[in-house]
């Protein structure tokens, strides 16, 4: 894996107000696009709410080329943080499986609500 351009890019949660491309997210987090694709693949197969946030195509499959929702960007930032802490994708997968709430939609909404309280 290539060295991050911003070593602290995933140190804090990322709250965006708009959908984002994976390329833009990679720039924000200071990682390569291929790294974001790796993290997205981990999240897609292990977090139901992440997968359900994608729009569906006519054939019922998920449109994984669509821009990422603010929730999905938040999840990928958290996956990136886990990756920097435990180093291997296998350990990240195990961590997500053992602690489903770490990347849940409920946790995201609670954190966003708390952030809005602070900034109000």
């Amino acid at each position: 894996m290539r060295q991050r351009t911003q070593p602290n890019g995933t140190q804090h949660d990322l709250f965006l107000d708009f959908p984002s491309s994976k390329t833009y997210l990679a720039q924000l987090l200071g990682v390569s696009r291929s790294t974001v694709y790796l993290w997205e693949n981990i999240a897609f197969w292990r977090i139901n709410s992440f997968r359900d946030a994608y729009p569906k195509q006519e054939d019922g499959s998920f449109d994984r080329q669509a821009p990422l929702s603010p929730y999905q960007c938040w999840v990928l930032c958290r996956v990136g943080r886990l990756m920097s802490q435990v180093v291997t994708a296998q350990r990240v997968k195990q961590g997500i499986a053992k602690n489903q709430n770490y990347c849940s939609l409920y946790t995201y909404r609670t954190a966003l609500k708390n952030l809005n309280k602070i900034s109000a």
Side-chain angles (χ1 to χ4, degrees):
M1 192 181 303
R2 205 172 89 191
Q3 187 173 4
R4 296 177 181 204
T5 57
Q6 294 177 343
N8 297 326
T10 58
Q11 186 175 5
H12 303 288
D13 284 341
L14 177 67
F15 294 98
L16 297 178
D17 293 335
F18 51 87
S20 168
S21 69
K22 291 175 186 149
T23 302
Y24 180 70
L25 183 62
Q27 292 170 349
L28 283 177
L29 299 178
V31 297
S32 68
R33 277 186 312 147
S34 62
T35 299
V36 170
Y37 278 92
L38 172 77
W39 296 348
E40 185 266 344
N41 202 39
I42 290 171
F44 184 82
W45 294 109
R46 282 156 191 82
I47 304 168
N48 291 333
S49 54
F50 181 89
R51 183 175 40 254
D52 293 340
Y54 278 110
K56 293 228 178 171
Q57 297 181 350
E58 291 179 13
D59 63 358
S61 64
F62 295 99
D63 182 7
R64 292 178 74 177
Q65 302 303 316
L68 298 167
S69 71
Y71 164 68
Q72 289 173 312
C73 293
W74 177 83
V75 167
L76 292 182
C77 182
R78 285 194 151 208
V79 169
R81 184 175 317 132
L82 282 174
M83 203 65 160
S84 67
Q85 293 170 349
V86 298
V87 182
T88 67
Q90 188 60 34
R91 289 182 184 152
V92 170
K93 293 171 188 177
Q94 291 170 348
I96 290 171
K98 288 181 182 177
N99 189 2
Q100 288 288 318
N101 288 334
Y102 184 70
C103 294
S104 72
L105 188 57
Y106 175 79
T107 303
Y108 168 74
R109 288 180 177 158
T110 302
L112 185 60
K113 187 181 354 175
N114 290 337
L115 179 68
N116 289 333
K117 283 181 186 176
I118 292 171
S119 63

